[in-house]
Amino acid sequence: MPLRSTTRTNLVDLVIEQMEGLIADGEWPVGTKIPAEPALVEQLDVGRNTVREAVRALVHTGLLEPRQGDGTYVRASSGFGAAVQRRLRRAGDLETFEVRACLERDAARYAAQRRTDEDLAALRATLAERDRAWKSGDLAAFVDADMDFHRTIAAAAHNSVLAELYEHLSDALRSTLQSVIGAPVPDSVRNQYDEHVAIVDAIEARDAEAAEAAALAHLAEGMAALHEGARDAPHRPKGTQE
């Protein structure tokens, strides 16, 4: 949806509406930087103050995030997603992981019941990419690949609300995964390759019970790793930095 010139009276609300539409439609994907203020002023044919007020309003709702010296980025694709992320910023890793367990358990079950051949091929591909990233030693790539793997399971469940909710949890889930990887546990627990293979095998076999059990076994190991890390970490008041 291209930006269009705005001529009606309530310019700020109209600019906000256009920006929300660009975000919701994926023209401005989550994680990307929006055009700079001069470009927005030119494309929208409004004044700088109008653009600034609209951006400020979307920052307040949580859809946009200003980064000092870098620009403004899309943080969430909807008001609901922004609200979820605001709440998750006040949650600990263990709380977030418990919510993840609920979602991934049901996602695995539904994926086993509903997956298509295309879904299965995508799962096998993301599993292979996850394994390649682990073997390369690139932990950032491994985290990305693991997130893609679980997003693919959520997509294979063919429940748009579940998939959207999982996507809104992505930032917090990334944090929990990084905590598991950083925990003082064996590499087999940090990687959990066999556990991920078991999930895919159960989905391929359309065995919903086995898929749910495999997902829960995988998540139980991750939960134990988080507990281990919490015991070994020095106590710090919540919200403080090292």
Side-chain angles (χ1 to χ4, degrees):
M1 183 178 74
L3 292 168
R4 62 186 183 276
S5 177
T6 303
T7 57
R8 288 165 57 186
T9 304
N10 194 345
L11 293 178
V12 174
D13 287 346
L14 289 172
V15 171
I16 290 172
E17 182 181 340
Q18 287 195 61
M19 289 182 174
E20 287 176 335
L22 289 166
I23 294 169
D25 292 342
E27 295 281 342
W28 290 354
V30 173
T32 61
K33 182 162 65 173
I34 71 171
E37 183 180 283
L40 292 174
V41 167
E42 180 179 353
Q43 293 172 36
L44 292 162
D45 193 24
V46 295
R48 287 181 178 270
N49 286 341
T50 300
V51 169
R52 288 173 184 170
E53 285 186 46
V55 169
R56 190 179 300 118
L58 293 176
V59 168
H60 180 72
T61 62
L63 292 182
L64 297 180
E65 176 187 25
R67 299 181 186 176
Q68 189 170 4
D70 189 18
T72 301
Y73 286 75
V74 180
R75 183 173 182 85
S77 59
S78 68
F80 169 70
V84 169
Q85 291 187 26
R86 283 197 300 273
R87 179 61 187 87
L88 287 171
R89 286 198 292 272
R90 304 196 306 272
D93 283 345
L94 288 171
E95 286 184 318
T96 302
F97 203 92
E98 288 174 355
V99 174
R100 172 189 178 179
C102 295
L103 288 176
E104 292 192 6
R105 175 199 65 202
D106 289 341
R109 168 178 283 277
Y110 292 136
Q113 296 170 342
R114 303 169 182 171
R115 63 89 177 162
T116 65
D117 290 343
E118 291 77 13
D119 292 329
L120 184 60
L123 271 174
R124 291 290 182 193
T126 55
L127 181 64
E129 180 58 34
R130 185 183 183 279
D131 189 43
R132 281 192 294 271
W134 175 263
K135 290 176 178 176
S136 75
D138 186 340
L139 294 184
F142 175 73
V143 169
D144 288 340
D146 188 84
M147 294 294 299
D148 285 343
F149 174 84
H150 290 289
R151 284 192 192 99
T152 304
I153 294 177
H158 292 280
N159 180 311
S160 60
V161 176
L162 189 155
E164 183 178 356
L165 183 56
Y166 194 87
E167 189 62 37
H168 291 321
L169 289 169
S170 289
D171 284 350
L173 297 184
R174 183 180 299 275
S175 174
T176 66
L177 178 57
Q178 289 167 337
S179 296
V180 170
I181 292 174
V185 294
D187 279 353
S188 60
V189 176
R190 297 164 71 220
N191 182 1
Q192 293 189 307
Y193 177 75
D194 291 341
E195 290 82 350
H196 284 72
V197 171
I199 296 171
V200 178
D201 286 347
I203 291 173
E204 180 174 19
R206 301 189 186 278
D207 188 334
E209 296 292 336
E212 180 177 339
L216 288 175
H218 147 57
L219 292 160
E221 281 199 342
M223 184 74 75
L226 286 176
H227 279 292
E228 186 70 24
R231 281 196 298 268
D232 289 354
H235 174 73
R236 295 193 310 274
K238 186 174 178 61
T240 61
Q241 301 292 324
E242 288 189 352

